[in-house]
Amino acid sequence: DRYQRRVRGSEEVSGPTVFVGNLSFNTTEDDLRNAFAQYGNIRTVNIKSRGNRSLGYAFVEYESTEDANSAVQGMDEQLLNDRVIKVELVKSKGNVNRV
C-alpha cells in the first residue's frame, strides 16, 4: 500500500497516532486539530513537509488508543479542504494499519 511506503522509517510513533493522507497542500495543523478534536484529546499534530511545501500527509497523536480508533472510523474517506482524506491507525514505527 502506498501509504505504508510513505510512512516506513519516516515517523517515530510515541503514542496512539493516526496517519492522515491525501491532504490538500493548503491544509494547516490548525485545520487538522479542529477536524480531529471531536474524537478525543490530541497531543500533537504534525504535517510533513519539505521546506515550506506540504508533502500531503500528517500524523495526529492522541492521548488514548480509543480516541485514535474513533478518529479513524469517523474521518477515513471524509472531505477535508475539498479532498477525500485517508486515515489509518499507526500501530508501531513505520507500520500503518486500517481499523
Side-chain angles (χ1 to χ4, degrees):
D1 173 290
R2 67 186 173 131
Y3 296 105
Q4 287 178 337
R5 286 195 302 271
R6 280 190 198 162
V7 175
R8 190 169 292 126
S10 67
E11 180 71 12
E12 184 134 354
V13 174
S14 58
T17 302
V18 296
F19 167 85
V20 185
N22 199 39
L23 291 174
S24 162
F25 296 130
N26 298 319
T27 299
T28 67
E29 289 183 359
D30 284 341
D31 292 336
L32 285 173
R33 188 173 297 277
N34 291 334
F36 282 80
Q38 63 184 312
Y39 299 100
N41 294 322
I42 294 174
R43 286 186 186 165
T44 62
V45 175
N46 185 2
I47 294 178
K48 293 305 196 177
S49 60
R50 184 167 292 127
N52 291 331
R53 181 174 163 86
S54 167
L55 295 175
Y57 69 97
F59 295 90
V60 178
E61 180 186 5
Y62 281 93
E63 290 185 6
S64 77
T65 301
E66 294 79 18
D67 293 347
N69 285 330
S70 293
V72 170
Q73 292 171 354
M75 292 297 293
D76 189 39
E77 303 289 330
Q78 298 301 307
L79 268 179
L80 180 65
N81 293 343
D82 298 322
R83 300 287 299 264
V84 175
I85 60 172
K86 186 73 170 167
V87 182
E88 300 181 10
L89 186 66
V90 178
K91 292 283 192 185
S92 62
K93 183 176 178 181
N95 186 12
V96 176
N97 291 306
R98 293 193 75 176
V99 171

